[in-house]
Amino acid sequence: MYAESLRAFLGPIVPYMDEPSVTEIMINGHGQVFVERKGKMVLDPFTFENNDQVRVLIDRMVEPTGRSITTAAPFVDFRLPDGSRVNVIVPPVAVGGPSVTIRKFTRTLT
């Protein structure tokens, strides 16, 4: 389970990050969230209210990396503290609204 500091900036996607069977989360604008479980990508019923909500999530995730994402620099790749890889694209490159892809790693107990 994510520490409270991570929960604060992951907001509405925390349940996906906490779920061990979820290996990838794709947010394509505010109205489409795809979740990969056990190798199958499925459109999830969860949606954001608007693209501004997605942008707030993006800004919260990017801020700790010391990077920024703007219309002049509309994409960024980085890792979350747990090692998950994140790719973010915003308009004008992302035509349908901000896009976020998070590739999680399988957690195993040793």
Side-chain angles (χ1 to χ4, degrees):
M1 201 162 197
Y2 277 77
E4 288 306 311
S5 61
L6 287 174
R7 293 176 96 59
F9 72 79
L10 293 175
I13 64 167
V14 167
Y16 304 117
M17 297 300 290
D18 281 345
E19 187 179 327
S21 66
V22 171
T23 53
E24 189 165 0
I25 304 157
M26 292 175 35
I27 303 166
N28 296 327
H30 74 280
Q32 286 187 326
V33 176
F34 289 90
V35 178
E36 182 181 76
R37 289 181 181 93
K38 300 178 183 176
K40 293 191 177 194
M41 190 67 70
V42 178
L43 180 62
D44 198 82
F46 171 77
T47 60
F48 290 84
E49 289 183 27
N50 53 48
N51 283 334
D52 291 337
Q53 269 192 334
V54 179
R55 187 55 199 245
V56 167
L57 173 67
I58 290 168
D59 291 341
R60 285 181 180 169
M61 288 192 302
V62 172
E63 182 181 5
T65 69
R67 296 171 155 180
S68 63
I69 187 159
T70 65
T71 55
F75 51 89
V76 66
D77 292 311
F78 59 95
R79 288 186 182 265
L80 293 176
D82 72 348
S84 296
R85 294 184 305 233
V86 182
N87 173 268
V88 176
I89 304 171
V90 299
V93 176
V95 181
S99 175
V100 180
T101 303
I102 302 171
R103 184 70 172 157
K104 291 175 42 183
F105 291 97
T106 305
R107 296 182 198 158
T108 57
L109 298 176
T110 56

